[in-house]
Amino acid sequence: MSLVKAKNIWKIYGEDIILENVNFTMKEGEFCTLVGPSGCGKTTFLRMLLGVENPTKGELFFEGNDYPQEPSDERGIVFQRYSTLSHLNVIDNVVIGLEFEKSKFFGKLFGKEKKEAYVKAHEILKAVGLDDSSTKYPHELSGGMKQRLSIAQSLVKEPKLLLLDEPFGALDPGISKDMHELLLDIHAKLNFGVVMVTHDISEAFKLGTRVLVFDKVKTDKDYPNRFGSTIINDIDASKKGKNNEK
Ligand SMILES: Nc1ncnc2c1ncn2[C@@H]1O[C@H](COP(=O)(O)OP(=O)(O)OP(=O)(O)O)[C@@H](O)[C@H]1O
Ligand SMILES: [Mg+2]
């Protein structure tokens, strides 16, 4: 069964066609990277996969069912900007996600459930290499550490689909290389599906098992949004990715 299936998706804002006729099927555990010019609709597409934006036309399925109308913990997102809460330390930034997931009304856990949440949060912080910093506050972390915390916040909820919108764009090259290894490592262990937007073509090929190129097939220079973007290329990068690793 597919994890995500998009059939003839269109996104139109007013008179502007942003995406047209997008067809996309993704299997469980696949790592898709998404590239394309600025403004072509990559973030819009990601927001549809998250479930916070509806297609104007077309059909979208998650695990074979109609797309859930609300975001859920089955799908997590990490943006270029950090999503940490400044008044909470590292471990509590991770635990709070579990508290809202399990206790929608109170937003708090007690007793045994609370202990379990901390155990789980420590495990995921270990996986992203932040467990030694669990009592630090976000302002005491470097950019790379903050981004690892954002990833931990999503992963602790064990999403089936992780959506990443240029997550490493703001990091120094050396740090983003470490983040690549971290992400590939966690992905190999947990095997969630990934759709990751990036501006960096070499990052797209290094990380993705599949590289999707978004662009317009037709253009009208007098009216840029007369036509929308679609997937103009869907490249198997699984072998290339491995060669690049070595
Ligand atoms: N809520 C909205 N209402 C109207 N237009 C929107 C809305 N959201 C996005 N757009 C338009 O849709 C187009 C695609 O935006 P989107 O953010 O998806 O692009 P992108 O490919 O992610 O670009 P970038 O690489 O710069 O992040 C843009 O022209 C933008 O102005
Ligand atoms: Mg964007």
Side-chain angles (χ1 to χ4, degrees):
M1 198 208 342
S2 58
L3 183 64
V4 174
K5 193 174 180 83
K7 276 168 108 176
N8 293 331
I9 294 285
W10 290 65
K11 186 71 194 178
I12 304 171
Y13 288 116
E15 309 252 289
D16 296 340
I17 301 179
I18 308 303
L19 293 170
E20 63 176 69
N21 218 13
V22 177
N23 286 290
F24 170 62
T25 305
M26 172 180 177
K27 287 188 280 210
E28 271 175 31
E30 234 176 337
F31 197 135
C32 300
T33 48
L34 215 155
V35 295
S38 182
C40 76
K42 303 180 295 299
T43 298
T44 305
F45 186 62
L46 228 51
R47 286 171 54 79
M48 288 198 266
L49 299 185
L50 184 65
V52 296
E53 194 82 65
N54 285 318
T56 313
K57 284 194 273 179
E59 291 176 293
L60 200 54
F61 302 98
F62 189 74
E63 295 188 307
N65 299 311
D66 281 342
Y67 227 74
Q69 283 303 300
E70 291 195 349
S72 104
D73 294 315
E74 289 184 311
R75 301 179 300 279
I77 191 155
V78 176
F79 295 100
Q80 178 171 15
R81 299 261 324 257
Y82 319 117
S83 56
T84 49
L85 297 167
S86 58
H87 65 288
L88 294 180
N89 68 15
V90 165
I91 186 86
D92 288 332
N93 256 293
V94 179
V95 166
I96 195 167
L98 289 172
E99 291 193 307
F100 276 108
E101 176 186 281
K102 293 232 170 90
S103 169
K104 298 238 173 351
F105 187 66
F106 291 110
K108 277 228 155 298
L109 294 175
F110 301 97
K112 186 168 163 253
E113 281 197 320
K114 185 162 190 144
K115 258 195 201 148
E116 283 168 2
Y118 275 93
V119 169
K120 205 168 163 194
H122 275 297
E123 272 171 24
I124 201 79
L125 285 177
K126 242 180 240 155
V128 301
L130 272 186
D131 206 31
D132 291 343
S133 306
S134 64
T135 57
K136 286 194 174 153
Y137 283 81
H139 74 269
E140 298 172 283
L141 304 177
S142 70
M145 290 163 95
K146 278 187 209 158
Q147 204 52 310
R148 279 186 275 157
L149 177 55
S150 301
I151 291 173
Q153 286 176 315
S154 282
L155 288 181
V156 76
K157 297 182 207 164
E158 298 173 31
K160 292 177 180 163
L161 176 63
L162 182 67
L163 303 164
L164 299 158
D165 199 352
E166 302 190 44
F168 312 136
L171 303 177
D172 288 342
I175 297 178
S176 41
K177 193 164 168 277
D178 293 346
M179 297 294 297
H180 292 163
E181 265 136 48
L182 170 81
L183 187 57
L184 287 174
D185 197 41
I186 300 180
H187 178 254
K189 277 188 202 130
L190 302 180
N191 203 41
F192 41 85
V194 181
V195 180
M196 172 173 163
V197 172
T198 174
H199 267 118
D200 180 339
I201 301 281
S202 66
E203 181 176 82
F205 276 93
K206 178 179 172 191
L207 297 182
T209 49
R210 202 171 151 190
V211 179
L212 305 167
V213 185
F214 273 57
D215 209 346
K216 295 179 199 286
V217 179
K218 284 193 243 166
T219 50
D220 178 343
K221 65 177 170 22
D222 298 325
Y223 182 8
N225 285 333
R226 173 151 176 209
F227 300 104
S229 303
T230 192
I231 299 175
I232 59 157
N233 220 335
D234 185 342
I235 305 159
D236 176 3
S238 50
K239 295 186 189 87
K240 206 167 180 180
K242 281 193 190 97
N243 291 340
N244 283 355
E245 281 302 283
K246 283 171 189 155

